[in-house]
Amino acid sequence: MPTALIADDEPNLAAELAERLTRFWPELTIVGMPRNGIEALAQINATQPDFAFLDIRMPGLDGLKVAGLATGTRVIFVTAYDEYAVEAFDASAVDYLLKPLSDERLLRCITRLQREAPAPAPVVLPQLAKDSGPIRWLTVGLGDTTHLVAVDDVAFFQATDKYTEVVVGDKRHLIRTPLKDLALRLDPERFVQVHRGVIVSLAAIEHVQRDLLGRLRIHLRNRSDTLPVSRAYAGLFKQM
C-alpha cells in the first residue's frame, strides 16, 4: 500500500490534510507528521515513504532543502506562497499545492499520485477487491482545535445518542462516524465488537469476568472502565 508523510509546522493544517487524504484515498497510509524540516528529513530517511507533503517555510530546514536531501520519495509541496514554484519543480516536485487547498485541486493531485503509487499486492479473494484497508488515523475536534489520533492508541469506541466516543488514555473524544461504519474500517485483528454499542481493542483487554448470572464484562488494562459483552458476542469468549 502507498505511504505518505506530511510535514507542516501548523499541526491543525497537517491534521486536516491527513483527514482529507484518508477520506479521498483510503489506501494511503500516513506514516508521520513532523513539525519541522529536520524531523521531516529524519522520518523520510527512516520510513522511506512513497510521497512527502511538505510545507516550504518550516523551522530547521525549509521544505526545499528537505526535498533536495530526500531520496526515493516523491515530494508534493503544500504552501501558502506561490513564489517558490520554479524552485520546487527544479527540485523535482510532483506537484505544488497552494493553501487554502480546495477538494477539487487535491483530488487532481491524488489522481496524479495514484498513477505513480506502487502497485497493490494481488488480491487473493475476489470479494475483498473493494476493501480500502483499515483506518490508521482519526481526526477529532475539541473546540477550535483538531487533533490527529492514532487508531492503535484507542482503548475502545462506544456509541452515544448522536456520536461515537473515542477513548484514548485519559481522554475521551466525540466523532460523528457511526459505530457500525467504524466496525467496517477497523483492523479485525486489533479490534472486536463486543456489544451493539461497543468496540474494544484486544490489546486493551486485561481479563473478562463472568458474574453469577453468566453475564460477561471486560476489564481493561490500567483503566477503571468495564465494558459489557452482549449475548450475541459472548461466543468470542466461549473458552471461559
Side-chain angles (χ1 to χ4, degrees), residues 58-70:
M58 292 188 294
L61 293 173
D62 64 37
L64 292 168
K65 291 179 181 176
V66 172
L69 295 170

Side-chain angles (χ1 to χ4, degrees), residues 107-141:
L107 284 168
R108 290 207 308 270
C109 175
I110 288 172
T111 300
R112 174 183 295 181
L113 299 185
Q114 287 175 332
R115 292 196 295 264
E116 303 187 12
V123 177
V124 177
L125 299 176
Q127 62 267 32
L128 298 181
K130 295 183 179 180
D131 182 13
S132 58
I135 54 175
R136 303 298 182 192
W137 301 90
L138 293 169
T139 52
V140 297

